[in-house]
Amino acid sequence: MKIFQAPTLANIDGAAAVREAQRLIGRQVALPARRAFLQRSLTLGGLSLLTGCSISDDAHVEAALARISRFNDRAQALLFDPAQLAPTYTDAQITRPFPFNAYYGEDEVRVVEEAGYRLEVSGMVAVRHAWTLAELRAMPQHDQITRHICVEGWSAIGKWGGVRFADFLHRIGADTSAQYVGFKCADDYFTSIDMPTALHPQTLLALTYDGLPLPPKYGFPMKLRMPTKLGYKNPKHIMAMFVTNTYSGGYWEDQGYNWFGGS
């Protein structure tokens, strides 16, 4: 089935076209979470990128959605203001208890022992030192109370403390002209972020939650906390990081979620 026969939106019933595209995507994209995400995020503006493409088979769906996602990444990167701060809140506004979220159940939370833990650093950095938690805790610490926004539609306010990631990147001599910073985690999660977000003043290597050492369910020994990103961009149980110009995707991003992931 062809939604558009020519590269124009003239004389198109926009609402009907979007509904039809959502129906077809819902039928043909197998992963339920991804299907719901794509159906919610599809608009006529995104659908216009499908001009001339059939969305009646998986190959065309995948190619078209990849084009939309790349367009969204570029648009969000252009709109991102590295000096614009996300809203902050008071202790009284903290969500208690703060929700657990992961791609697995809470009974499967990975336990990382502090003894022997080292944060491995590689890529475009001058200092490839493996960092202990004691060394990270000895760096200047900062607290923030910010809102976590989940792609599934819920949000929660939490208090995070740790090292400003920009300070850490400068300490290790990271090449801040590089495009990406990638992360590998103890729970087999992985993701990557853009350098402007890495340098944002509210991006934290979070070591504490609500004034106490980060609990395992929130990502011990550390998570990357970014109030400017959606929740799936905030990796937990971080074991290694690397600075690179090579795109490395992410656990959810490789399944179709938007890579930039701005909130």
Side-chain angles (χ1 to χ4, degrees), residues 203-263:
T203 297
L204 288 182
L205 276 180
L207 305 172
T208 67
Y209 180 76
D210 205 11
L212 298 173
L214 197 66
K217 67 178 180 178
Y218 296 155
F220 185 88
M222 76 177 68
K223 71 172 288 175
L224 192 70
R225 173 62 193 143
M226 298 174 288
T228 60
K229 296 285 194 188
L230 292 170
Y232 67 88
K233 296 299 295 185
N234 291 241
K236 302 187 294 186
H237 313 289
I238 298 172
M239 303 297 289
M241 56 158 285
F242 53 95
V243 179
T244 182
N245 279 323
T246 301
Y247 175 78
S248 57
Y251 178 89
W252 288 116
E253 297 89 331
D254 290 356
Q255 298 181 61
Y257 279 52
N258 177 245
W259 177 81
F260 192 87
S263 63

Side-chain angles (χ1 to χ4, degrees), residues 72-143:
N72 286 341
D73 287 339
R74 291 192 296 271
Q76 289 183 74
L78 288 171
L79 291 171
F80 180 72
D81 182 351
Q84 179 68 43
L85 298 181
T88 57
Y89 302 87
T90 68
D91 279 59
Q93 294 173 291
I94 293 173
T95 303
R96 302 182 189 279
F98 189 88
F100 168 79
N101 64 296
Y103 70 95
Y104 45 82
E106 191 170 347
D107 59 341
E108 301 176 88
V109 168
R110 308 310 195 265
V111 176
V112 179
E113 299 295 338
E114 180 170 346
Y117 172 79
R118 299 291 186 276
L119 172 63
E120 301 292 336
V121 176
S122 63
M124 300 167 65
V125 299
V127 181
R128 295 174 180 266
H129 172 68
W131 289 70
T132 66
L133 286 177
E135 290 172 317
L136 291 166
R137 290 166 181 158
M139 291 186 66
Q141 304 290 299
H142 302 271
D143 290 333

Side-chain angles (χ1 to χ4, degrees), residues 150-223:
C150 182
V151 71
E152 295 176 339
W154 59 267
S155 69
I157 295 171
K159 183 177 182 179
W160 310 93
V163 178
R164 282 184 179 147
F165 196 41
D167 293 346
F168 183 73
L169 290 173
H170 291 310
R171 178 72 71 87
I172 65 176
D175 183 347
T176 55
S177 69
Q179 296 183 64
Y180 311 109
V181 183
F183 302 89
K184 298 178 181 179
C185 306
D187 58 359
D188 298 323
Y189 198 78
F190 64 101
T191 192
S192 54
I193 63 171
D194 56 294
M195 185 60 76
T197 298
L199 297 173
H200 189 275
Q202 289 176 305
T203 297
L204 288 182
L205 276 180
L207 305 172
T208 67
Y209 180 76
D210 205 11
L212 298 173
L214 197 66
K217 67 178 180 178
Y218 296 155
F220 185 88
M222 76 177 68
K223 71 172 288 175

